[in-house]
């Protein structure tokens, strides 16, 4: 007998997921006037040394390294993940923005173009 809610298993149990899970560890490194900065590690190797947006920045770095799938964000305080991101590639396209007019919110990521400042400095 086949269960409609759990395809592929006769006993109705869910099938194991084929999606890979990547685990990162974030650690606070420096608090400044703009907020908390974190380091990000993957398999005990530093992935990012300093960022105020560890999850989104880590997703972009992981995509650049060719990783995809699910992401678990861990710290040294909890026995469970701080956050679970179902799709690294989708999360890499987002970031957190905060300003005087609004609190933190999720927005589409727009890469910083350093050439904008170089051109402006030359004028």
């Amino acid at each position: 007998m086949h269960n409609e809610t759990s395809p592929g298993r006769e006993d109705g149990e869910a099938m194991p997921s084929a999606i890979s899970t990547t685990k990162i560890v974030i650690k606070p490194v420096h608090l400044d006037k703009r907020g908390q900065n974190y380091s990000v590690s993957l398999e005990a190797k530093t992935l990012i040394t300093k960022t105020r947006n560890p999850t989104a920045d880590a997703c972009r770095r992981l995509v650049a390294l060719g990783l995809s799938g699910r992401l678990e964000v861990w710290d040294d305080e909890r026995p469970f993940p701080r956050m679970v991101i179902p799709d690294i590639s989708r999360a890499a396209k987002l970031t957190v923005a905060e300003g005087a007019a609004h609190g933190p919110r999720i927005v589409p990521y727009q890469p910083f173009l350093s050439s904008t400042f170089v051109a402006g400095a030359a004028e």
Side-chain angles (χ1 to χ4, degrees):
M1 172 190 282
H2 189 278
N3 184 333
E4 292 292 324
T5 59
S6 299
R9 293 276 308 252
E10 295 296 323
D11 60 3
E13 291 293 322
M15 293 286 289
S17 175
I19 298 173
S20 65
T21 299
T22 300
K23 296 179 182 181
I24 60 170
V25 176
I26 64 171
K27 295 181 182 182
V29 292
H30 180 70
L31 179 63
D32 60 27
K33 63 183 179 183
R34 296 184 67 199
Q36 182 66 59
N37 290 282
Y38 296 87
S39 69
V40 180
S41 298
L42 172 66
E43 297 174 357
K45 296 177 186 157
T46 301
L47 191 65
I48 300 170
T49 56
K50 184 179 171 188
T51 176
R52 287 186 296 122
N53 192 350
T55 303
D57 288 346
C59 286
R60 284 185 283 283
R61 182 74 177 111
L62 293 169
V63 166
L65 292 172
L67 297 172
S68 62
R70 184 174 178 264
L71 177 67
E72 291 183 357
V73 181
W74 291 78
D75 63 23
D76 289 335
E77 300 173 17
R78 296 167 182 83
F80 51 86
R82 290 175 66 126
M83 182 182 300
V84 175
I85 304 294
D87 186 332
I88 294 170
S89 299
R90 286 185 64 198
K93 297 174 185 173
L94 303 171
T95 194
V96 177
E98 184 174 7
H102 58 79
R105 60 191 173 123
I106 305 295
V107 298
Y109 175 70
Q110 296 179 352
F112 175 75
L113 299 174
S114 61
S115 61
T116 302
F117 285 101
V118 173
E123 294 176 357

